[in-house]
Amino acid sequence: MSTPPAANLAVINADNPLVWFGLTVGQILLVTVPLLLVVAFVIYADRKIFAGVQMRKGPNVVGPFGLLQSFADLGKFLIKELVVPAGADKFVFLLAPLISVTLALGSWAAIPLAPGWIVSNINVGILYLFAVSSMGVYGIIMGGWASNSKYPFLGALRSAAQMVSYEVSIGFVIITVILLSGSLNLTRITEMQAGGFWNWNILGGGGLKNLPLAIVMIPMCVIFFISGLAETNRPPFDLPEAESELVAGYAIEYGSTPYMLFYLAETSNIILMSSLLAVLFLGGWQAPWPTPYLNGLHDWAGSLLVSLHGLVMLMAKTFFVFFMNAMVRSVVPRYRYDQLMRLGWKVFLPTSLVAVALVAGWRVYANGVG
Amino acid sequence: MALQAIAFYLMAAATIASAIAVVSARNPVHSVLFLIASFFSAAGLFVLLGAEFLAMLLVVVYVGAVAVLFLFVVMMLDVDFAELRQGFARYMPLGGLIAGGLAVEMVIVSTTVATKGAARLSEAPMASGSAGPSVPNAEAIGGVLYTDYVYFFQAAGMVLLVAMIGAIVLTLRHKPGVRRQVIMDQVLRTPKSGMRMAQPKPGEGIDL
């Protein structure tokens, strides 16, 4: 939202520090508050999908079809008593969930939600997301350590090793996308994929002449999806909180609001990874078909329509990826720890490294870049 | 702009305060956490300089990878820092000397960059600040790193590779008689090879 679509906003002088501050806070709230609502319903959708696969009904009591279940849970979390275990490092114990949730919400600043709708359109947007997600491990490791208990600590160590491992292959997958777009800016990456699904990065980005790259980019998309599961500690990679061996991993000692913050951060991160996959590979807010019908709309109602069109596209793609995420969670059994490490280091890392070389070679020799 | 000044003083103060806390904290894990806070605020200072690429690299490499390893080691080793602290007065002069030398070097480097520009980078938009870089600084850095300084860059990579191989060679042991996971066997297992239908008679077991 660095360029407000409504023309009447132009009279407000954005150079005034106070006005600038107010505008920025307003934009952040405009993204964060709907996001929290979306998180509530995504948790509900996750539970419904999980239940559907297992032929249960899922949450169906609070509100119509159980739609308000998440809000009931929220109320319950808030009125529970906060228990800090004896011998715990109280400050770090309470800081950990705060760090988790701050990072989870902060990473949304760089996601282009619709044409021009982005809180911070920075040049290194994708690196920013990578940096923030690589810091996400601290919330878990601090929580596990500060609990002063064995299972949380083991869970935290597992989680740290797992997240650091899978970040490497995520990094290489991101590099292939950067090579295709020639930019680290997520808005630019999205704009490069305009014009129809054949221009999306999953099919090589750039129409028919790059179609052979689909052989490389479709596996890259799959690797990104699976690494995203591991990065967000989703099943089948939920070893940090494997209840059959670690009770609940790093979160055992947490209850009430701090636990809710962990839960919120985790769900927000899952949606973030889904929408990041949509932005990097599936064209972000671009429609899967050419959109000449949006060209002539320049007045404020028209540009609002364009933005909403983009927002709906991005949300549809994000929900599609999230649905697959939820299906994997319901269908695939949990990995063993050595299998997880092998998959990350011995399968994904070499594959994505070769893919980087192939894409770079294609860009130089077939597209004549650089 | 006033906001930038406020942001600078906030982040500079946070960097220095957390750096002091690193050496003065009683708990080693707290020390590492303060070190991370210090890295993070330093990254913020880089952003204010207009060097957003370096800032993100600082966070990804130091905060996201190096400090995690620190934290691992410090959490798992039972380091007795009270014992380490006993030599504090004895090492103080030497430590002070090294810190002083580093400070002088940093002042020299930064004044040289400010007045003369560092080598060929003078026209690069690294330090352009609020004016807004014309070239994204990821491109600016890539432009010199892979052309003028490519040999140094490769050499640095080789040094890291050698260090990594060295660490692996030092710690790798092949113990005989250890049963390892053979992933190929596990993947190629079918219901036919992994399962046997037995009909045990009452009162008798089966031979496996």
Side-chain angles (χ1 to χ4, degrees):
Chain A
M1 292 172 213
S2 56
T3 51
N8 55 359
L9 281 182
V11 292
I12 303 169
N13 184 8
D15 287 336
N16 184 336
L18 281 177
V19 174
W20 178 86
F21 188 74
L23 276 177
T24 312
V25 171
Q27 288 171 353
I28 291 169
L29 287 179
L30 268 180
V31 173
T32 314
V33 174
L35 175 72
L36 292 176
L37 283 175
V38 168
V39 165
F41 288 109
V42 157
I43 292 173
Y44 166 77
D46 194 24
R47 295 175 66 175
K48 272 289 192 195
I49 295 167
F50 202 33
V53 172
Q54 297 174 343
M55 296 194 203
R56 291 185 287 117
K57 279 186 177 165
N60 65 347
V61 174
V62 189
F65 308 106
L67 271 170
L68 300 177
Q69 179 66 47
S70 300
F71 298 97
D73 290 343
L74 170 79
K76 192 177 171 186
F77 275 130
L78 288 180
I79 57 175
K80 284 258 175 178
E81 186 191 355
L82 173 61
V83 181
V84 179
D89 191 325
K90 197 172 177 187
F91 181 70
V92 180
F93 185 81
L94 294 177
L95 186 66
L98 285 179
I99 286 187
S100 275
V101 85
T102 310
L103 292 173
L105 296 179
S107 35
W108 283 91
I111 295 276
L113 299 167
W117 284 19
I118 178 169
V119 176
S120 176
N121 190 14
I122 44 179
N123 277 330
V124 288
I126 196 162
L127 265 182
Y128 167 80
L129 285 177
F130 192 57
V132 170
S133 85
S134 73
M135 284 178 62
V137 66
Y138 285 113
I140 291 174
I141 203 172
M142 281 163 71
W145 175 80
S147 299
N148 192 29
S149 169
K150 285 192 187 72
Y151 286 133
F153 189 57
L154 285 175
L157 289 181
R158 276 189 180 186
S159 162
Q162 169 180 337
M163 289 169 89
V164 170
S165 307
Y166 277 85
E167 240 149 51
V168 186
S169 48
I170 286 189
F172 279 121
V173 172
I174 287 177
I175 288 177
T176 58
V177 174
I178 294 171
L179 283 169
L180 288 179
S181 316
S183 175
L184 296 170
N185 183 321
L186 283 166
T187 307
R188 182 97 188 97
I189 291 175
T190 311
E191 280 165 357
M192 295 286 283
Q193 304 178 63
F197 69 87
W198 47 88
N199 287 333
W200 289 357
N201 280 335
I202 191 173
L203 296 176
L208 287 177
K209 69 181 195 310
N210 274 358
L211 203 57
L213 271 186
I215 305 167
V216 180
M217 291 314 286
I218 292 174
M220 284 301 103
C221 185
V222 173
I223 288 183
F224 188 86
F225 178 73
I226 298 175
S227 303
L229 291 177
E231 186 77 8
T232 48
N233 297 326
R234 276 286 269 189
F237 303 112
D238 60 339
L239 290 146
E241 47 201 278
E243 69 274 5
S244 49
E245 27 191 309
L246 291 180
V247 193
Y250 62 88
I252 299 173
E253 304 291 351
Y254 283 92
S256 147
T257 314
Y259 179 77
M260 186 194 70
L261 292 181
F262 267 134
Y263 197 50
L264 175 69
E266 199 177 299
T267 315
S268 168
N269 272 331
I270 291 162
I271 312 173
L272 181 85
M273 286 313 264
S274 305
S275 67
L276 191 60
L277 191 141
V279 169
L280 291 180
F281 291 98
L282 305 178
W285 39 257
Q286 307 283 1
W289 49 80
T291 50
Y293 54 88
L294 293 176
N295 281 347
L297 305 166
H298 292 302
D299 55 336
W300 69 268
S303 50
L304 189 66
L305 193 68
V306 173
S307 295
L308 288 178
H309 179 267
L311 189 64
V312 168
M313 287 297 161
L314 181 68
M315 281 174 75
K317 289 170 189 174
T318 305
F319 190 76
F320 171 70
V321 179
F322 173 78
F323 180 73
M324 299 214 297
N325 202 316
M327 286 303 281
V328 169
R329 174 183 175 227
S330 343
V331 172
V332 184
R334 186 178 293 135
Y335 258 48
R336 220 170 49 210
Y337 199 67
D338 66 299
Q339 291 174 325
L340 171 93
M341 281 297 158
R342 173 179 168 274
L343 187 71
W345 289 107
K346 293 189 176 173
V347 180
F348 285 175
L349 182 61
T351 314
S352 49
L353 198 56
V354 169
V356 168
L358 285 177
V359 173
W362 179 271
R363 291 292 280 169
V364 172
Y365 293 109
N367 295 358
V369 176
Chain B
M1 208 165 125
L3 274 174
Q4 280 181 339
I6 294 170
F8 170 77
Y9 285 113
L10 270 180
M11 279 189 266
T15 311
I16 294 172
S18 42
I20 291 170
V22 171
V23 283
S24 60
R26 294 196 157 273
N27 188 330
V29 174
H30 289 173
S31 283
V32 180
L33 293 178
F34 277 119
L35 184 68
I36 294 158
S38 175
F39 283 148
F40 191 69
S41 354
L45 290 177
F46 272 124
V47 171
L48 281 182
L49 269 177
E52 71 267 8
F53 182 67
L54 279 183
M56 295 307 150
L57 282 195
L58 186 73
V59 175
V60 170
V61 175
Y62 283 91
V63 180
V66 175
V68 172
L69 292 181
F70 272 16
L71 206 56
F72 255 49
V73 172
V74 171
M75 276 180 181
M76 287 197 286
L77 293 183
D78 194 14
V79 189
D80 190 0
F81 265 63
E83 197 179 315
L84 283 181
R85 240 173 251 284
Q86 284 175 359
F88 187 72
R90 199 150 56 86
Y91 295 123
M92 187 75 172
L94 184 65
L97 202 68
I98 295 173
L102 277 176
V104 170
E105 277 176 19
M106 281 200 296
V107 169
I108 292 175
V109 168
S110 49
T111 47
T112 319
V113 173
T115 54
K116 295 182 181 159
R120 231 197 67 177
L121 273 174
S122 52
E123 69 269 26
M126 283 291 303
S128 63
S130 59
S134 49
V135 185
N137 56 47
E139 277 174 42
I141 290 175
V144 286
L145 201 59
Y146 291 100
T147 51
D148 294 0
Y149 301 112
V150 66
Y151 296 115
F152 301 104
F153 184 64
Q154 298 280 353
M158 288 305 288
V159 170
L160 287 177
L161 182 66
V162 169
M164 196 172 81
I165 293 174
I168 292 172
V169 167
L170 283 176
T171 52
L172 186 66
R173 285 192 193 89
H174 286 289
K175 269 190 234 162
V178 176
R179 289 176 57 138
R180 292 180 183 279
Q181 305 275 359
V182 183
I183 299 294
M184 217 50 199
D185 290 358
Q186 296 175 2
V187 172
L188 293 178
R189 221 164 82 117
T190 58
K192 225 173 207 171
S193 65
M195 205 163 62
R196 188 162 64 94
M197 298 300 284
Q199 305 284 335
K201 294 195 182 90
E204 292 174 30
I206 49 161
D207 293 321
L208 281 170

